[in-house]
Amino acid sequence: LPGEFARSITDHQEDGSVYNVFPALSPDGSRVAFISNRSQYMDLFVVSTLDGEVISHLGEGERVGQFEEMHILRGGVTWSPDGEQVALAAKGGPSDRIYLVRASDGEVVRQIDPGMDGVFEPAWGPDGRSIAFVGIESGYSDLYLYDLVSGTYRRLTRSKASESFPADGGVWGSNTSTLPITQLAEASAKPENFIGIHFFSPVDKMP
């Protein structure tokens, strides 16, 4: 049973929730951000890992136009490296957006609208200045990288196969012929999370 090796920080019998999904641990491990319907509507909550006490919540999930749908099947929650903000994707009006929410009080501090058919599973980069996400265009999904400083984004993959789950626990990799991995690593708070990927063909000639 889960209770034999883990400690629960949510209690659906007490708070009346049915969904408690997409948990994301803060960089310092003191808080967990997740999506829950404990307030009868799907909403973003930040709670303490010590006792489960609610630190903040969005308070507007699925109750106002900008949070029409919280994407409980392909959502995802991700923390900024400094632990100050949480990012999530949600449908707002005619399009999906990425919302940056202040973790201390649940205030939305920024909205990112790529203008795509769908936006899912954001993942904050270890350098703090970029967010990767899955974008849907014409029925196909690809990975995109949004630069929080310049306000621009670029497409990382061009495959018709589904490119999904840029998870917080993963590494950021690129073909080093197209991106300066060394410079990216130097600018990152976690340079060990940047890797270069080399492709060799044919396989029997790989070192």
Side-chain angles (χ1 to χ4, degrees), residues 8 16 19 22 26 28 31 42 63 75 80 94 98 100 120 124 174 184 187 195 205:
S8 175
Y19 292 100
F22 302 121
S26 64
D28 64 2
R31 296 155 294 165
M42 300 303 296
R63 274 169 285 187
S80 61
I98 296 174
L100 308 189
F120 305 96
W124 216 306
S174 172
L184 284 173
I195 62 173
K205 293 185 179 180

Side-chain angles (χ1 to χ4, degrees), residues 2 22 39 62 72 116 125 143 145 200:
F22 302 121
S39 61
E62 298 185 331
I72 64 171
M116 298 180 179
L143 296 184
L145 191 66
F200 301 87

Side-chain angles (χ1 to χ4, degrees), residues 56-156:
S56 68
H57 72 103
L58 194 58
E60 298 179 334
E62 298 185 331
R63 274 169 285 187
V64 294
Q66 66 176 348
F67 295 106
E68 181 179 337
E69 182 185 352
M70 299 291 284
H71 294 332
I72 64 171
L73 296 180
R74 293 192 62 185
V77 175
T78 182
W79 286 84
S80 61
D82 61 8
E84 295 294 321
Q85 298 179 33
V86 176
L88 75 156
K91 181 175 177 58
S95 62
D96 282 2
R97 301 176 184 180
I98 296 174
Y99 294 90
L100 308 189
V101 180
R102 193 160 50 227
S104 61
D105 59 11
E107 183 75 18
V108 176
V109 297
R110 186 170 178 180
Q111 299 181 29
I112 300 167
D113 184 359
M116 298 180 179
D117 298 334
V119 175
F120 305 96
E121 300 154 9
W124 216 306
D127 60 0
R129 63 171 289 158
S130 55
I131 294 178
F133 64 93
V134 176
I136 308 293
E137 285 279 61
S138 302
Y140 297 106
S141 66
D142 277 291
L143 296 184
Y144 294 83
L145 191 66
Y146 182 85
D147 190 310
L148 292 166
V149 177
S150 67
T152 60
Y153 69 89
R154 58 191 176 87
R155 188 174 178 177
L156 299 178

